[in-house]
Amino acid sequence: NHIPLRVNFPPVDSSSSSEFSDLQQTNSSSYTRSTCINPIGIACAKYHYVACTADGRVYTWGLHSESLGIERDEQTLHEKDWFTSSKGSNQLQSSSIASPRLVVAMLPENGGGRAVSVSASESHTAVLTADGHLFTWGSCYGDNVLGHKGVRWQPKPRKVKRVHQAVGVALAKEHTVLLIGTNLPAVPCFQA
């Protein structure tokens, strides 16, 4: 049994990225049409979701913080969207986030890129950028599943070396598959 779920994205903070400076906030409670987030892609996994927007931003939400690519710092530590529960006598910690959050590490000024495609598996996430690069993060049991030699846990987005013309990506529990093009296709232009 599946129940449709409405997802509300947070308003865009235009001060967080110079590339997105055309976004205008009219007052504290209303936003112009240009500040609305326009999702163009989404991927659902067992424990988390990932979406990319027309302006190339990446958002994640769900369970297990290692799949989300969002660092918990002093600012987000006490926010109401984060939940932490302890189970059993060994006090296993599990983090979750209830609504979409921007993956700041994927912003171009932080070493990321303009996202055009996303994929998610049980415990890892992948993003393709407009220039054909692949970024991955999360955890896995097998070697090299994330594309980083010898890495089984990557808490935030990291560019996979030697991937330059990726045009498609698909993930499953313990593998990542890329479609590599001889030429990059034109990036679709979406109107805000």
Side-chain angles (χ1 to χ4, degrees), residues 147-166:
H148 313 294
K149 189 174 182 177
V151 174
R152 291 185 179 184
W153 179 67
Q154 178 62 42
K156 62 183 183 176
R158 180 175 169 190
K159 189 186 322 188
V160 177
K161 293 179 182 178
R162 296 182 297 277
V163 174
H164 304 287
Q165 292 184 316

Side-chain angles (χ1 to χ4, degrees), residues 3-191:
I3 299 171
L5 177 68
R6 181 181 175 143
V7 176
N8 294 315
F9 285 85
V12 175
D13 177 11
S14 62
S15 63
S16 67
S17 173
S18 58
E19 182 177 332
F20 307 104
S21 61
D22 63 330
L23 303 176
Q24 299 287 323
Q25 183 178 354
T26 56
N27 64 46
S28 62
S29 63
S30 72
Y31 292 83
T32 64
R33 186 86 168 130
S34 65
T35 62
C36 292
I37 293 175
N38 183 16
I40 59 167
I42 190 168
C44 304
K46 186 174 183 179
Y47 299 113
H48 74 288
Y49 308 92
V50 59
C52 64
T53 61
D55 62 4
R57 293 176 183 235
V58 177
Y59 292 83
T60 59
W61 66 103
L63 299 174
H64 308 302
S65 58
E66 70 272 1
S67 304
L68 302 177
I70 300 170
E71 295 184 63
R72 291 190 68 183
D73 55 17
E74 284 300 318
Q75 179 183 354
T76 60
L77 189 60
H78 303 291
E79 289 186 5
K80 64 179 177 155
D81 281 344
W82 281 98
F83 300 100
T84 303
S85 64
S86 300
K87 291 186 176 183
S89 60
N90 61 1
Q91 295 298 308
L92 178 64
Q93 293 277 320
S94 176
S95 294
S96 67
I97 188 162
S99 61
R101 293 289 298 267
L102 178 66
V103 180
V104 176
M106 280 301 303
L107 293 173
E109 63 267 22
N110 295 331
R114 183 172 174 255
V116 294
S117 179
V118 294
S119 188
S121 78
E122 185 172 318
S123 58
H124 70 287
T125 305
V127 173
L128 286 181
T129 62
D131 56 1
H133 294 290
L134 173 69
F135 289 79
T136 63
W137 66 90
S139 62
C140 60
Y141 294 106
D143 288 330
N144 305 322
V145 173
L146 298 172
H148 313 294
K149 189 174 182 177
V151 174
R152 291 185 179 184
W153 179 67
Q154 178 62 42
K156 62 183 183 176
R158 180 175 169 190
K159 189 186 322 188
V160 177
K161 293 179 182 178
R162 296 182 297 277
V163 174
H164 304 287
Q165 292 184 316
V167 294
V169 63
L171 303 182
K173 186 175 180 178
E174 288 300 316
H175 68 270
T176 302
V177 178
L178 281 175
L179 179 61
I180 304 292
T182 55
N183 293 320
L184 287 173
V187 175
C189 187
F190 295 94
Q191 298 288 5

